[in-house]
């Protein structure tokens, strides 16, 4: 019996052991499967790391490398085992400057993640390779820091591409800055992204608003508010609306006045929706165009003046020539028999006509010398009082014939002028002749002279004639110009007198001035520089005055 019990006990024990062994085997198989799964997951992770990065690395709690994958050898040409036990600063001393290492070590001291840290390493041929690393701190189940684990990748091609892009951008910006025209770039939202110094210089009044990121509408509003755009004054909102609408229609080109300068603005859209604006200062071009238009207008005026001059000269030459020919034929053929008194009168008319022709020819010769720059002065000292008296006597008959009162207003002090006497006489005769010519019967012409407070001799001719319209004050000093045109003129003359007068005055460094009111009269004065004034010596009481001698004769 006891033997049977032992058998059953032995059998039960064997069965129990088998059950335990089976259970253990099942657990071992399950753990083995888990290990295989973990190995597979690790292998997949390594494959992913191999795809996404060039190598992996681990650091201990002292930030010394405990592992660097073999892949680093082909990137940086180093043996990964040489880095084991070293910190990053020790393994790669030229990867960062001292400031960069300090910042990196401070970050790791805080156990912060490492993201996109760029390092460099000089390889055997002297070239630099650039890498980028990422890493995370590692903590155990108790939260104790165990080190860092991370990946690295080669970004040398990326860095080189970035360097080339930066250099290209630098050259581009330099090229833009070197341009004389203003250049600006505006993005798809019409905000300023880039501009050169010339663009700022061509934007007076809105410099403070001209900042990167400003909207174009805000920029032009600042420009309008500054008053630099005269075309916008009084219609500001309409001008701004029109300008924004024009911008939508780019490409476009328009001209505008800004800050006293003419600008040509061209706008073009790029393929990516940006807007390129160029601004060119065309003030010089506008001025040349205006000068050309003025030259054409002046040439047209000069041409018309010369045509009128030819018509005038035709009259001025034919009239005395006809008189000379007619009267001389009567005298030569003794048409009136022995009427000597009549012949003598005709001879006087011939003399007057010849004198008139000579004056015309002298005027033309004077004009030719003036325009050729060959006007020469024969200077000497002479009495202004005597010269004006001489001119008054010469013109007295002409004034009396027109019933014009010709007077001379003498200065309180006698003096002399150092100048070309013939030229000054011509100035006086031209001015006085014009005054008599354009003063109606019953009017008056006054010749005067004086010394002003600066010691300058001033001679003037004033009349009560028809006057000169204000818009013709400058015109009458041009050659061949007259107040009346060739078809409606009521007075003779060639239109050269005032032109010659002004040039004779300016040849003496003098100034001619005209004041006139239509219907009231005209005053023309010529002022000579003070250095031409000569004071007369005190008269000798024993010498009889010149006037008494003339009267005695």
């Amino acid at each position: 019996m006891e033997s049977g019990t032992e058998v059953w006990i032995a059998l039960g024990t064997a069965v129990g052991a088998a059950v335990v062994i089976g259970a253990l085997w099942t657990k071992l198989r399950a753990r083995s499967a888990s290990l295989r799964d973990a190995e597979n997951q690790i292998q997949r992770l390594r494959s992913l790391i191999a795809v996404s990065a060039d190598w992996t690395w681990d650091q201990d709690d002292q930030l010394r490398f405990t592992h660097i994958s073999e892949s680093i050898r082909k990137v940086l040409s180093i043996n990964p085992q040489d880095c084991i036990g070293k910190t990053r600063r020790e393994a790669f001393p030229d990867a960062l400057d001292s400031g960069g290492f300090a910042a990196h070590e401070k970050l790791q001291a805080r156990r912060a993640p490492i993201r996109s840290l760029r390092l460099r390493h000089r390889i055997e041929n002297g070239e630099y390779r650039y890498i980028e690393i990422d890493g995370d701190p590692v903590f155990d189940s108790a939260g104790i820091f165990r080190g860092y684990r991370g990946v690295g990748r080669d970004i040398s091609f990326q860095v080189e591409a970035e360097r080339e892009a930066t250099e290209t951008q630098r050259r581009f910006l330099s090229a833009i800055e070197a341009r004389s025209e203003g250049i600006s770039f505006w993005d798809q939202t019409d905000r300023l992204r880039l501009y050169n110094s010339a663009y700022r210089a061509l934007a007076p009044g809105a410099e403070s608003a001209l900042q990167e990121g400003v909207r174009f509408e805000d920029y032009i509003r600042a420009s309008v508010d500054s008053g630099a755009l005269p075309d916008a004054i009084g219609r500001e909102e309409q001008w701004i609306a029109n300008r924004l609408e024009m911008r939508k229609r780019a490409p476009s080109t328009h001209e505008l006045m800004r800050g006293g300068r003419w600008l040509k603005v061209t706008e073009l859209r790029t393929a990516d929706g940006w807007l390129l604006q160029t601004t060119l200062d065309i003030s010089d071009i506008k001025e040349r165009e205006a000068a050309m238009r003025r030259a054409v207008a002046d040439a047209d005026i000069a041409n018309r003046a010369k045509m009128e001059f030819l018509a005038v000269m035709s009259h001025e030459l034919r009239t005395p020539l006809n008189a000379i020919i007619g009267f001389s034929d009567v005298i030569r053929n003794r048409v009136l028999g022995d009427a000597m008194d009549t012949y003598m009168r005709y001879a006087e008319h011939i003399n007057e006509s010849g004198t008139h022709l000579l004056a015309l020819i002298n005027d033309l010769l004077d004009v030719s010398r003036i325009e050729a720059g060959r006007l020469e002065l024969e200077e000497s000292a002479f009495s202004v009082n005597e010269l004006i008296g001489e001119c008054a006597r010469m013109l007295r008959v002409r004034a009396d014939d027109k019933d014009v009162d010709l007077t001379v207003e003498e200065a309180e002090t006698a003096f002399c002028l150092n100048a070309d006497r013939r030229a000054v006489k011509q100035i006086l005769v031209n001015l006085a002749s014009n005054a008599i010519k354009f003063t109606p019967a019953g009017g008056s012409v006054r010749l005067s002279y004086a010394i002003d407070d600066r010691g300058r001799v001033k001679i003037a001719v004033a009349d009560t004639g028809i006057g000169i319209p204000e818009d013709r004050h400058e015109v009458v000093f041009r050659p061949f110009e007259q107040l009346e045109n060739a078809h409606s003129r009521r007075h003779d003359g060639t239109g050269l007198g005032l032109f010659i007068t002004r040039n004779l005055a300016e040849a003496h460094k003098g100034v001619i001035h005209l004041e006139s009111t239509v219907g009231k009269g005209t005053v023309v004065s010529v002022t000579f520089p003070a250095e031409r004034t000569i004071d007369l010596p005190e008269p000798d009481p024993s010498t009889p005055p010149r006037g008494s001698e003339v009267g005695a004769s």
Side-chain angles (χ1 to χ4, degrees):
M1 183 123 176
E2 290 180 356
S3 298
T5 301
E6 291 176 353
V7 170
W8 283 107
I9 291 173
L11 181 62
T13 300
V15 171
V19 170
V20 171
I21 292 171
L24 290 174
W25 175 251
T26 301
K27 288 182 179 180
L28 287 174
R29 290 186 59 188
R31 180 170 293 182
S32 176
S34 297
L35 288 174
R36 284 196 300 272
D37 290 342
E39 184 67 28
N40 290 335
Q41 290 176 1
I42 292 173
Q43 188 61 39
R44 284 196 297 271
L45 180 59
R46 287 176 176 172
S47 298
L48 289 174
I49 291 174
V51 172
S52 62
D54 292 326
W55 68 90
T56 59
W57 56 270
D58 293 277
Q59 288 178 315
D60 60 18
D61 57 356
Q62 299 301 311
L63 303 180
R64 298 182 181 279
F65 286 109
T66 60
H67 164 76
I68 297 180
S69 64
E70 185 68 22
S71 303
I72 198 172
R73 187 189 299 272
K74 63 181 180 181
V75 176
L76 301 182
S77 301
I78 62 175
N79 184 352
Q81 295 303 316
D82 294 340
C83 301
I84 303 302
K86 296 180 181 179
T87 64
R88 183 166 281 113
R89 187 194 287 261
E90 294 168 344
F92 305 98
D94 59 349
L96 293 170
D97 58 22
S98 58
F101 271 120
H104 172 61
E105 290 165 355
K106 186 176 181 180
L107 180 143
Q108 286 192 297
R110 299 199 316 265
R111 313 313 184 204
I114 301 171
R115 294 290 180 265
S116 302
L117 175 63
R118 288 194 172 187
L119 308 172
R120 68 177 185 176
H121 179 73
R122 189 192 298 271
I123 60 178
E124 292 179 354
N125 62 7
E127 296 180 0
Y128 276 104
R129 289 286 175 84
Y130 293 87
I131 60 176
E132 185 177 80
I133 64 170
D134 292 281
D136 288 310
V138 177
F139 300 90
D140 62 15
S141 59
I144 299 175
F145 174 69
R146 295 303 184 184
Y148 270 88
R149 180 178 296 125
V151 296
R153 64 188 62 84
D154 183 3
I155 60 168
S156 299
F157 289 118
Q158 178 183 339
V159 170
E160 183 62 27
E162 290 174 355
R163 183 183 291 114
E164 291 180 0
T166 300
E167 179 62 20
T168 300
Q169 183 180 24
R170 186 194 66 78
R171 292 193 187 116
F172 175 69
L173 294 176
S174 298
I176 289 178
E177 187 62 28
R179 299 295 299 176
S180 59
E181 66 266 40
I183 297 177
S184 62
F185 286 90
W186 306 76
D187 65 17
Q188 296 93 332
T189 62
D190 218 11
R191 292 183 179 274
L192 181 62
R193 293 307 174 194
L194 178 67
Y195 63 93
N196 63 355
S197 300
Y199 189 80
R200 172 177 287 274
L202 295 174
E207 294 90 342
S208 60
L210 196 63
Q211 303 292 336
E212 183 178 351
V214 66
R215 293 191 313 150
F216 180 75
E217 181 175 352
D218 295 335
Y219 163 63
I220 62 169
R221 283 190 181 279
S223 302
V224 170
D225 292 342
S226 71
L229 298 164
D231 190 46
I233 297 176
R235 58 185 196 99
E236 289 79 2
E237 291 302 322
Q238 179 186 351
W239 191 93
I240 292 172
N242 293 341
R243 180 67 184 89
L244 293 175
E245 184 63 29
M246 181 187 303
R247 195 169 175 85
K248 294 176 183 178
R249 298 196 299 268
S252 64
T253 299
H254 66 279
E255 298 176 358
L256 58 85
M257 172 71 78
R258 176 165 190 157
R261 293 182 290 189
W262 274 103
L263 306 179
K264 181 179 181 180
V265 180
T266 301
E267 295 176 331
L268 298 171
R269 285 283 176 196
T270 62
D272 56 359
W274 283 45
L275 188 140
L276 165 63
Q277 183 185 85
T278 60
T279 305
L280 181 64
D281 187 345
I282 58 171
S283 300
D284 291 341
I285 297 175
K286 285 288 186 180
E287 179 58 33
R288 287 195 294 270
E289 290 176 352
M292 186 176 297
R293 287 193 295 271
R294 290 194 297 268
V296 171
D298 290 344
D300 185 55
I301 292 171
N303 185 58
R304 289 200 304 271
K306 288 183 179 180
M307 294 302 294
E308 291 185 2
F309 169 74
L310 291 175
V312 170
M313 287 302 296
S314 175
H315 169 78
E316 294 291 333
L317 292 173
R318 286 181 179 179
T319 299
L321 283 174
N322 287 336
I324 291 171
I325 293 171
F327 288 131
S328 62
D329 279 346
V330 171
I331 295 173
R332 185 186 64 179
N333 296 324
R334 302 178 66 86
V335 173
L336 301 178
D338 294 328
M340 293 304 296
D341 291 340
T342 302
Y343 291 150
M344 288 298 294
R345 192 167 64 254
Y346 286 178
E348 290 177 2
H349 292 328
I350 292 173
N351 181 267
E352 291 175 355
S353 298
T355 301
H356 180 67
L357 284 175
L358 180 60
L360 290 177
I361 293 171
N362 285 335
D363 282 349
L364 291 174
L365 292 175
D366 286 340
V367 170
S368 67
R369 284 195 293 270
I370 289 170
E371 293 188 338
R374 297 200 302 269
L375 186 62
E376 298 179 359
L377 302 179
E378 297 179 3
E379 298 181 0
S380 63
F382 58 88
S383 169
V384 178
N385 181 47
E386 290 182 2
L387 180 63
I388 289 185
E390 181 181 325
C391 293
R393 289 191 296 273
M394 184 190 322
L395 298 170
R396 180 75 62 189
V397 175
R398 186 180 305 180
D400 291 343
D401 289 343
K402 284 203 64 180
D403 191 22
V404 172
D405 183 25
L406 177 62
T407 59
V408 176
E409 183 180 313
E410 297 184 357
E412 296 180 357
T413 304
F415 50 85
C416 287
L417 189 66
N418 182 40
D420 187 321
R421 191 178 192 279
R422 183 197 68 82
V424 177
K425 180 178 180 180
Q426 188 173 359
I427 290 173
L428 278 166
V429 170
N430 285 349
L431 295 179
S433 297
N434 272 352
I436 295 170
K437 182 194 305 183
F438 292 103
T439 299
S444 64
V445 174
R446 184 181 76 256
L447 310 183
S448 64
Y449 61 98
I451 294 183
D452 64 14
D453 55 1
R454 295 167 60 182
R456 301 178 302 177
V457 173
K458 179 180 180 180
I459 59 176
V461 178
D463 65 59
T464 59
I466 62 175
I468 303 172
E470 187 174 354
D471 62 345
R472 302 282 292 175
H473 284 190
E474 185 62 29
V475 173
V476 295
F477 288 102
R478 297 174 184 168
F480 315 121
E481 290 283 354
Q482 292 183 309
L483 290 178
E484 306 160 313
N485 61 44
H487 303 291
S488 63
R489 61 197 304 271
R490 294 169 295 171
H491 304 87
D492 59 3
T494 61
L496 297 174
L498 288 178
F499 171 73
I500 294 172
T501 298
R502 167 180 271 184
N503 280 274
L504 291 176
E506 291 177 349
H508 287 84
K509 307 299 182 186
V511 178
I512 189 166
H513 180 68
L514 182 148
E515 295 180 4
S516 186
T517 303
V518 175
K520 293 186 178 181
T522 302
V523 178
V524 183
S525 61
V526 177
T527 304
F528 295 90
E531 57 266 23
R532 292 192 175 276
T533 303
I534 302 175
D535 294 332
L536 285 176
E538 294 294 330
D540 187 350
S542 63
T543 303
R546 182 181 297 272
S548 61
E549 293 179 0
V550 174
S553 62

